[in-house]
Amino acid sequence: MSAVLEAPRAAAQGSVPIIELRGVSKRFSNPLDFAGRLVKRLGVKVREDVVHAVDGVDLSVRKGEVVGLVGESGCGKSTLGRMVAGIMPPSDGQVVWRGQDLTKLSGADAKRAKLRTQMIFQDPYASLNPRLKVAEIVGEAPQYHGLVPRGGLEAYVDDQLRRAGLDPSLKRRYPHQFSGGQRQRIGIARALAVQPDFLVCDEAVAALDVSIQAQILNLFMKLRRELDLTYLFISHDLGVVEHLSDRVVIMYLGRVVEEAPSEEVFARPNHPYTRALLAEVPRIEARKRVFAGVQGEIPSPLNPPSGCHFHPRCPFAFDRCRAERPALKQVAPGHRSACHLNDAA
Amino acid sequence: QTLTMGVGAPVTSIDPHYHQLSPNTAVAHMIFSGLTTTDGHARVIPDLAESWKAIDATTWEFKLRPGVRFHNGSEFTAEDVAFTFARVPNVPNSPSSYAIYTRPIREVQVVDAHTLRLKTAVPYPLMPTDLASVMILDRETHAQATTEGFNAGPMAVGTGPFRMISHRNGDRIEFERSDNYFGARPAWQRVNYRMITNDAARTAALLAGDVEIIDQVPTSDLAKLRNDQRLALSEITGLRLIYLSFDHSRTDSSPFVTDNDGKPLPANPLKDARVRRALSMAIDRNAIVERVMEGAAIPAGQFLPEGSFSYVPDLTPTRFDTEGAKRLLAEAGFPQGFRITLHGPNDRYPNDSRIIQAIGQMWTRAGVRTAVEAQPWTTFVARAGRQDLSSFLIGWGTSSGEGSNPLRNLTATFDRDKGYGASNRGRYSNPEMDRVLDQAMRELDDAKREALLQQATRIVFEDVGILPLHIQKNTWAMRKGLAHDPRADELTRAHDVRPASAAK
Amino acid sequence: MTVFLLRRLLQAAGVVLVMSLLVFLGVYAIGDPIEILISPEADQIERERAIKALGLDLPLWQQYLVFLGNALRGDLGRSFVFNEPALRLILDRMPATLELAIGATLAALIIGLPLGLYAGLRPSSPVSKGILAGSILGFSLPTFWVGLMLIMVFAVQLGWLPSTGRGETVTILGMRWSFLTRDGLAHMLMPALNLSLFKISLVIRLTRAGVRETMLMDYVKFARAKGLSPARITFIHVFKNILIPVVTVVGLEFGGTIAFSVVTESVFAWPGMGKLIIDSINVLDRPVMVAYLMIIVLMFITINLLVDITYSLLDPRVRLEGKS
Amino acid sequence: MSTTTAGAPPAAVPPAARVETPFRRFVSEFAASRLALFGLVLFCIIVLVAVLAPWIAPQNPYDLAQLDIMDGRLEPGSVGGSGITYWLGTDDQGRDMLSGIMYGLRISLTVGAGSAILACLVGASLGMLAAYAGGRTDSLIMRLVDLQLSFPAILAALMILAFLGKGILNVVIALVVVEWAYYARTVRGSALVERRREYIEAAQCLALPTHRIIFRHLLPNCLPPLIVVGTMQVARAIALEATLSFLGLGVPITEPSLGLLIANGYEYMLSGKYWISFYPGIALLVTIVSINLVGDQLRDVLNPRLKK
Amino acid sequence: MPASAAPGAPTLEVRNLRTHFLTRAGVVKAVDDVSFTVRSGKVLGLVGESGSGKSVTGFSILGLVDPPGRIVGGQILFKGQDLATLSEEAMRKLRGNRIAMIFQDPMMTLNPVLRIDTQMIETVLAHARVSREEARQRARDALGQVGIASPDERLRSYPHQFSGGMRQRVAIAIALLHKPDVIVADEPTTALDVTIQGQILAEAQKLCAQTGTALVWITHDLSVVAGLADDIAVMYAGKVVENGPVEQVLDAPLHPYTLGLIGSVPSRNRRGEPLRQIPGMTPSMLNLPAGCAFRARCPRAEARCAEPPPFAEYRPGRFARCIHPHEEAVAA
Ligand SMILES: Nc1ncnc2c1ncn2[C@@H]1O[C@H](COP(=O)(O)OP(=O)(O)OP(=O)(O)O)[C@@H](O)[C@H]1O
Ligand SMILES: Nc1ncnc2c1ncn2[C@@H]1O[C@H](COP(=O)(O)OP(=O)(O)OP(=O)(O)O)[C@@H](O)[C@H]1O
Ligand SMILES: [Mg+2]
Ligand SMILES: [Mg+2]
């Protein structure tokens, strides 16, 4: 069985990145209005609320690879995913798709690039338009973009549905008539219908029950083999990520803190945050264990700590951590981590 | 001892020289007095002046009543009259001042404390009539008087039968009997003068016993109130003529007259007296009076009701004759009639919008297909004044009670310098009539003047310069046990009301 | 808070300016006041004098600038009809309208809240359905018609209440109020009820909807899980939450009530601002119309501000700095 | 367990007898309330009467030639000069009240529905624009909405009508001016919520053009609250028109709406001629109540918050 | 330590509980024959998929099932007293006092418009005759107990000023105010992040051990149960299908559903290999088939499964609802 797995990974090693993020940042701000500026001028302290959702992230995904993106709520995973999928422009930095800067592409090329990257969403309820039938949901984009010949749409939609594990006879129904797992399959069929080669799965199984989750994860793996897909797999469930990914990227408060091949991360976590995370994950193998808990709350992205974002919760923090942002540095082949401890050692 | 009255029109100002409006005049009559005044039938009678005469063509002499005191005790003399005449044209901001009544006066000569001579440039027969509108103030008290001072109370000092105690703008005025009054003592120690502008509310207030007398009884309630044992009514034929005015200003097509296909007519048919007469014949005035006005009006053929100065006895209302109207129209070249829009206000005269609808019915039956459009007075009167309309309903109240007033204002040729035709909104013009009227206006002899005015009136109505409909009756309703002397000039005054038992 | 207040102030200034222009133009377009104001007896010369005296001979933009200049000095012009400062006239009438509107609002709360609470707590009981049906009726009845019916029944037929007008008043703070005297209250009862009819329905529905939604909330279930008594849950946990929409809407509606009193005041001959404005429209008393509308606008701005502040007091989640 | 590795078998079909469209579901939920159903039936009858008025009314009350003031203010059941029976009596012009009410309904409904539809078009477009464009456009439109909403409808309508003059069209315009803001606010509110939904992101991801996203994906999902506001506003518009007519600014007197009929009869109330304003009043009441009944149920059915 | 070794009678014993919802569409048998016991100081993990009836079971224990739901059968024995037959008033006296509950969504369980102190003090006063000051003192202590720093200041805050984890701790503190004998925790960490979940689990563990409170921990996450619970009850379609000590059930489940559930946990599978999955979908609770509800998805299904299987003790302390139970070790 494992051979099935190894093949694409081997292929992945040498090939060019299908997508590459270079110093990508995303800020959400609410600029001060006239009154706000006036008051500020008068010397009252008013702050423009700026959320650094993603803060200077470099990331590259090679063809055929599954990259897992892990992090706690609000750390910017979805935002990063959206930028990769091209539905949100970055505030800074470049998103490079097959060597071309996405933001600089012209109309037709941009559209093509956009279509080749599709997204699977977390909420199977909100991600389907409740007013369209399944056939319309799946068939709209291929028809609009002329990916299917006239008259061939029915059969094409049937194919997509079947591939996602749905009975095509259900295509005249509306989303609310399906269970969560089935809806997720509709979402997958919709994405596959425009023949992408890169899928961003944003918490795609988080809302599903364990037994259904397994079905969908298996579907992802099957599709990967059949269609030679590349995945950016966003999840907060380390178990899922560990199972699925070739490489894992760990984010904390808008920044990547560690990045390494899957086995490497789980075997030899480098960053204190990664270690804490791994320690806290409940595992079915660990019976009657004693939970400890990482100290402290997750800071607000509105008001992030200075230096290393993790320092207020880090048991090893020292002065430098409070002052200086640690850079992502190689600690082992293919393993990078952003921690000042690595310098000290 | 206390009388509560409900009046339909709001009093806007206590200053007797600020805004000429009948509710204001009514209240002014209660607080102040003029040199002359009018009785219930609008005949001029003495008030502060005991007598007057024209001593030459351009001089009027007034003998003033001695021993009259203002409410605050200060004495009334000829100086006060002179002071008053000086103040009248100089009331700041006045939108409708009383200066029109004093303008003919060139000079005021105070002969002695109780004799006064008024010089005019040209013979001015209407002087005593006009002066009934001018309330006399006290020179000492009112030297610095402002309108606000009157409204607030301190300046509301006159020689009238009542003193004002309080004034709640738009709501009520309270009066107390004045002991200084020179005339008949009013029956009421106190008067509560409430303004209830909504018709139904006013009737309801009477029915509920909140007020004891109301004016402007809505015609729709007349029948019910007449049958109510607890109530009594008083009624008098008024001085307000409701009439239709036609577009005389255009010889080519008039804006709201078209042929039967809706296309403009080449010439204005309303310029043709036959058409106007036909339209007059097509109207069943009795039906309007009976059905729409519910009896609160009399059909009219001229400006004033019988018994007025310059009334023309044989000028009767046009007889209703649909067939005759059709014949006349055919004669005028409109055998198939034409189309017209009749305009009118909907909030000004009793049943105004109902009357024009009824006329619309009648004209349509006579072959003139009529559309009807009623608008609020504010919009309507502006359009009428700009000669935007072809035919419209409007009214005229001749408070002076004699014919020169409507002749000058409504039917004399529009002439800024003479001040004639100011309300001639249809721009009717008849040189013959103008000539007779001019003559009358210089005639100091009452009998001769009346004959001339009658002649002018006849010219206007035989020509159907305006189309008279009816003259309104003024009605008051009160609880049983009260008596009221109705006034043709529509004024509602507390001293006209007394307990029914008390002799007049 | 400072930013919030300043923003509101700026907005208010903008709104007032825009409104003043709109109102001025609108009022100008309605008609020519001279035709209405001048005595019919007046001749052409007198007319011209009056036009000049009232400043109506100036071009429109000059009239507006004059108005604006005076307004900045707190002078909204003098009434053509009353020859008194328009502002004074309106302020003089304001207590009458205010007490009517406040009375109506209180009545709406006193009647509407309990009924709505009941209907929300027992949505399926016949009484609740009756309350709901009744509230639809309250929504649907035209105010003027109800007013007349009230007069017919309670004043004319039964003679229990005075039909129209304002009763005795007491002067407090230089303003006349009638709610402190028996007679005044008797006069106020019907118009206030008439005016509150719509609001009663509104409060019932808001309360009912609020209760139904709140009852589904986890925190209510949690409160029950804590073993709290039903009364405490209803009157503290649920009530405080529904008070937020109720206060907001009723507060915002307060302005509408003041405006709508135009109808009630004319039916009941209530000498308030509403009647003043209707009378002023009838005689095209422009300064009063403009001043009234300006005051209404200012009043709305104030009410909105107060509502927002109350809202933030009631709902701790709202911070006034919050972006709009 | 190895059988399952070949990929999931097509998922089982949930048992459902017939295809349940959102519309069918909506209908069945709506019909759950008998009161609402009653309201709907009532409303349909009213609309039918209004539409068919020219054919079923005994008289054309707008044709002055058919009226005779000699038949004015007849009691219900009287027989007029021309031999027709006035079942609900006549008004002061001799207008058959029954016909007057039927035609009046026509006017009132036209005004109500017309203004609601126009206001909805204007308001929805602006609201959509505000939600989608955001930024300055949004704040400009929303300030306008605030301005409009904070200004009392009745006053605004009074001013506008005083300005425009009478006439059905002008009444409609005035009502549109005072009502569009409700729609704009509603649409913007729901569009802002719907916009953040993932299906919109999915559509963006599929590189569908903006207009298609707005009109095919966003707008239909913003409709339910709009429908609710719409029904309520129709009722409101009818009532407002009646009030305006009552205050003397409304439709022309020769083509009275229900409100104007009431206003006309209002003066006869005290003299016992109740029918002139009573029957139109009842007709107005029934109309508004029926619309509100329907609207109420719509609000419950379409409100996602009350659904678990 | 095996559960049966615990001394004394069980604190809470649920026997054949049935809670049905009489909806217009039909009877929803949300809870249909659920039995389990919890002892003092022990944790029972109640697991199952979404809609399997876990929350309704929890609400039934506290008597908080809203119409159209109703407890139609079975017993809820709390220290020997049957809660199902208790009057509402008597039940209210127990709620929050002897039996407390914690909810899933910490964002929703605290009333947003009331201050924390109000919400805590009212709970104290609902069950104890103490002065306000004393009640406040207790609230302060409870907050300290769950590891909230500067409780005095925190008491004066509103819920929105707290993060999710903090709110959940406040909820736990409220549950702890009267040192209850039983706490029902309905997925209290599902909405929280991993590191925060760790904190809450640590708190829960500590409290259970210290106060001897019996804890019913509802979750759909087997991994959490594995680490926390002493016993486990697995629910499927309204029924408990397997019940027993955690280690035994997780290592060698009797019921094929439990087996499938454990099998589909990713970490129980070889990396990159397809997960073992349970085919098909959870059945609709509205029209459950007679007999074993799992049979349509069960690899062991046979004709006999159309008969309702008994809930029987197949091994000491281990119950299952299956006619062919056999321990099947889960491949690692
Ligand atoms: N449109 C937006 N406007 C303002 N702030 C935003 C917007 N979208 C996201 N954010 C903020 O950016 C930060 C990162 O959000 P993001 O959704 O990427 O987090 P996440 O890691 O996906 O979290 P989760 O696990 O909860 O989905 C959050 O603090 C969020 O509040
Ligand atoms: N008020 C209700 N009316 C009808 N059915 C209900 C009601 N409440 C719950 N149910 C049904 O009862 C069943 C069990 O629901 P419950 O909330 O206990 O599930 P759960 O196991 O807690 O699921 P989750 O993991 O999603 O919280 C579900 O099928 C649900 O549809
Ligand atoms: Mg996310
Ligand atoms: Mg649950």
Side-chain angles (χ1 to χ4, degrees), chain B residues 167-211:
Chain B
H167 173 212
R168 266 157 61 179
N169 192 334
D171 179 25
R172 65 183 65 184
I173 306 173
E174 284 174 324
F175 298 96
E176 198 173 60
R177 187 163 56 203
S178 160
D179 295 326
N180 289 352
Y181 184 50
F182 56 85
R185 199 174 125 93
W188 312 107
Q189 174 63 33
R190 290 177 76 99
V191 175
N192 193 347
Y193 199 82
R194 289 182 50 191
M195 297 155 230
I196 308 176
T197 39
N198 185 291
D199 283 344
R202 197 163 58 250
T203 308
L206 178 71
L207 290 174
D210 295 341
V211 298

Side-chain angles (χ1 to χ4, degrees), chain B residues 298-465:
Chain B
I298 54 165
Q302 53 181 298
F303 293 119
L304 294 165
E306 197 169 351
S308 314
F309 185 81
S310 76
Y311 174 76
V312 188
D314 60 335
L315 204 55
T316 51
T318 313
R319 213 170 41 80
F320 171 52
D321 180 2
T322 308
E323 291 314 310
K326 282 183 180 162
R327 244 176 288 125
L328 260 179
L329 280 173
E331 207 178 293
F334 299 99
Q336 301 304 320
F338 50 89
R339 282 203 210 184
I340 194 166
T341 303
L342 176 62
H343 286 82
N346 62 1
D347 54 358
R348 175 71 178 176
Y349 309 108
N351 303 317
D352 40 16
S353 63
R354 297 197 173 105
I355 298 166
I356 55 174
Q357 287 186 78
I359 294 174
Q361 293 180 16
M362 295 163 182
W363 281 0
T364 305
R365 284 206 189 84
V368 177
R369 287 173 56 193
T370 309
V372 164
E373 196 178 324
Q375 284 175 311
W377 174 250
T378 43
T379 341
F380 165 77
V381 73
R383 291 181 74 188
R386 285 194 307 259
Q387 284 80 50
D388 280 355
L389 310 176
S390 291
S391 63
F392 54 91
L393 174 141
I394 200 160
W396 181 263
T398 310
S399 54
S400 66
E402 50 80 55
S404 75
N405 169 309
L407 282 168
R408 272 182 301 155
N409 283 301
L410 301 185
T411 52
T413 304
F414 184 84
D415 183 339
R416 179 186 177 279
D417 296 330
K418 266 161 64 185
Y420 279 12
S423 295
N424 182 355
R425 297 189 174 89
R427 297 289 188 262
Y428 173 69
S429 171
N430 188 328
E432 168 73 359
M433 201 283 299
D434 290 343
R435 194 182 52 74
V436 179
L437 180 60
D438 275 343
Q439 226 175 319
M441 288 311 292
R442 283 193 303 272
E443 181 56 65
L444 287 175
D445 182 292
D446 281 355
K448 284 188 194 152
R449 193 167 82 246
E450 179 164 26
L452 285 167
L453 291 176
Q454 283 170 334
Q455 192 190 340
T457 306
R458 188 185 301 279
I459 295 172
V460 168
F461 289 100
E462 282 179 351
D463 196 23
V464 201

Side-chain angles (χ1 to χ4, degrees), chain A residues 90-342:
Chain A
S91 316
D92 274 325
Q94 290 174 308
V95 179
V96 180
W97 183 77
R98 292 181 190 261
Q100 297 161 292
D101 188 346
L102 258 190
T103 51
K104 299 212 172 68
L105 282 183
S106 64
D109 289 337
K111 194 187 271 178
R112 204 155 36 89
K114 211 169 174 179
L115 282 180
R116 300 306 289 276
T117 312
Q118 286 300 312
M119 199 154 169
I120 312 288
F121 298 90
Q122 165 170 14
D123 186 348
Y125 291 83
S127 61
L128 302 179
N129 186 341
R131 277 170 211 280
L132 296 182
K133 291 185 185 142
V134 172
E136 294 168 314
I137 291 174
V138 176
E140 182 181 14
Q143 186 184 30
Y144 179 80
H145 294 295
L147 297 178
V148 281
R150 223 175 265 279
L153 188 66
E154 290 280 312
Y156 186 77
V157 168
D158 289 358
D159 277 349
Q160 304 306 321
L161 289 176
R162 222 172 279 123
R163 189 151 70 185
L166 277 170
D167 183 352
S169 68
L170 303 178
K171 69 182 176 185
R172 299 265 164 264
R173 297 193 174 192
Y174 288 88
H176 73 265
Q177 293 167 290
F178 293 90
S179 70
Q182 285 176 313
R183 289 185 200 215
Q184 208 54 301
R185 289 172 193 270
I186 298 172
I188 293 170
R190 170 177 63 190
L192 294 181
V194 292
Q195 301 159 8
D197 51 14
F198 186 55
L199 283 187
V200 177
C201 303
D202 187 3
E203 311 262 13
V205 293
L208 303 177
D209 274 324
V210 207
S211 64
I212 309 297
Q213 175 178 311
Q215 294 176 359
I216 300 294
L217 288 178
N218 285 344
L219 178 62
F220 279 139
M221 288 192 281
K222 184 184 90 145
L223 293 172
R224 177 191 181 188
R225 282 195 304 275
E226 289 175 2
L227 302 174
D228 194 15
L229 294 174
T230 310
Y231 286 91
L232 177 64
F233 202 91
I234 300 174
S235 178
H236 60 251
D237 187 335
L238 278 174
V240 170
V241 170
E242 178 182 13
H243 184 76
L244 216 63
S245 322
D246 303 320
R247 207 143 54 83
V248 177
V249 175
I250 296 179
M251 279 181 80
Y252 188 76
L253 225 59
R255 294 178 186 165
V256 171
V257 293
E258 187 159 4
E259 182 198 331
S262 212
E263 300 91 341
E264 180 83 7
V265 168
F266 288 94
R268 280 176 297 280
N270 176 281
H271 199 278
Y273 174 66
T274 316
R275 279 185 257 163
L277 208 56
L278 289 181
E280 285 316 311
V281 175
R283 293 185 168 267
I284 197 162
E285 298 80 13
R287 303 291 147 67
K288 279 307 268 182
R289 51 178 287 213
V290 176
F291 293 94
V294 191
Q295 290 312 302
E297 300 289 330
I298 304 170
S300 152
L302 256 179
N303 203 357
S306 60
C308 172
H309 282 170
F310 189 60
H311 82 252
R313 302 174 73 191
C314 181
F316 315 111
F318 56 106
D319 286 347
R320 189 173 165 205
C321 300
R322 282 177 269 277
E324 189 185 327
R325 170 178 177 172
L328 206 55
K329 286 188 191 134
Q330 180 123 347
V331 291
H335 188 163
R336 299 194 295 161
S337 170
C339 182
H340 291 311
L341 288 172
N342 295 328

Side-chain angles (χ1 to χ4, degrees), chain C residues 106-257:
Chain C
L106 285 181
L109 290 176
I110 290 168
I111 300 173
L113 276 177
L115 291 181
L117 209 55
Y118 183 88
L121 289 175
R122 307 229 152 79
S124 49
S125 93
V127 178
S128 304
K129 291 197 168 136
I131 292 174
L132 198 65
S135 79
I136 288 186
L137 216 61
F139 255 166
S140 311
L141 288 164
T143 311
F144 60 91
W145 150 280
V146 178
L148 193 71
M149 292 296 153
L150 287 175
I151 296 179
M152 286 281 287
V153 173
F154 291 102
V156 179
Q157 300 292 335
L158 299 173
W160 291 351
L161 292 170
S163 62
T164 51
R166 199 169 176 219
E168 267 174 50
T169 55
V170 179
T171 304
I172 298 174
L173 303 171
M175 289 187 271
R176 285 189 294 249
W177 304 93
S178 66
F179 68 97
L180 290 170
T181 65
R182 223 186 126 79
D183 181 52
L185 269 182
H187 277 86
M188 217 174 101
L189 202 61
M190 277 201 297
L193 189 70
N194 185 213
L195 197 56
S196 70
L197 210 64
F198 177 83
K199 291 158 71 79
I200 293 175
S201 294
L202 190 70
V203 173
I204 289 181
R205 299 169 138 252
L206 278 173
T207 313
R208 174 179 167 273
V211 170
R212 283 186 62 190
E213 256 177 49
T214 312
M215 289 306 283
L216 296 178
M217 290 294 180
D218 266 2
Y219 56 76
V220 172
K221 202 150 198 176
F222 188 62
R224 287 167 64 200
K226 293 195 296 189
L228 301 185
S229 66
R232 184 161 177 102
I233 293 178
T234 307
F235 292 106
I236 304 288
H237 286 256
V238 176
F239 200 71
K240 211 167 167 210
N241 272 286
I242 57 166
L243 221 51
I244 294 168
V246 170
V247 165
T248 316
V249 174
V250 168
L252 292 176
E253 271 287 310
F254 186 73
T257 311

Side-chain angles (χ1 to χ4, degrees), chain E residues 251-265:
Chain E
D251 287 339
L254 290 171
H255 197 281
Y257 174 66
T258 319
L259 180 71
L261 216 51
I262 299 167
S264 49
V265 173

